[in-house]
Amino acid sequence: MIFVNELIKAFCKRTTIAIFAVLLLLNGVLLYINETKQTLEYTPEQYKVAYQTLEGLDTHAAFEQISQKKTALNKILDLFVSKN
């Protein structure tokens, strides 16, 4: 019973509540920044589409499909780089 009372006393202090509120707000801000920044990284929607195209395939078939797309992409990149 003493342990529970000490936990209640520790977590009901204004400073503890304020720290948790600031951390929660900071977490939300960082999550928003990471989801909306424009970089070369993939968006969650792009991941969903990729998983939907591979869903139902066995491992070997999925690997072959990804390998073919990677080869095609590398050829396109080679053409682009060689022109510049």
Side-chain angles (χ1 to χ4, degrees):
M1 192 66 176
I2 294 174
F3 181 71
V4 173
N5 288 336
E6 290 297 321
L7 284 177
I8 291 172
K9 187 169 61 171
F11 286 108
C12 290
K13 287 186 176 182
R14 286 187 199 163
T15 55
T16 306
I17 293 172
I19 288 171
F20 279 121
V22 168
L23 289 175
L24 184 65
L25 181 67
L26 183 62
N27 188 28
V29 169
L30 291 175
L31 182 64
Y32 175 77
I33 289 171
N34 284 334
E35 291 296 323
T36 58
K37 68 179 179 178
Q38 297 295 324
T39 63
L40 298 176
E41 297 173 1
Y42 297 108
T43 64
E45 291 80 22
Q46 291 171 326
Y47 275 111
K48 289 177 187 175
V49 170
Y51 278 111
Q52 287 173 352
T53 58
L54 299 174
E55 190 175 19
L57 297 176
D58 64 339
T59 306
H60 183 69
F63 178 76
E64 287 298 321
Q65 185 175 354
I66 291 172
S67 295
Q68 290 172 356
K69 289 185 180 189
K70 182 180 181 276
T71 302
L73 179 61
N74 284 338
K75 289 179 183 178
I76 292 170
L77 288 173
D78 287 342
L79 288 173
F80 180 73
V81 171
S82 66
K83 286 184 180 182
N84 289 332

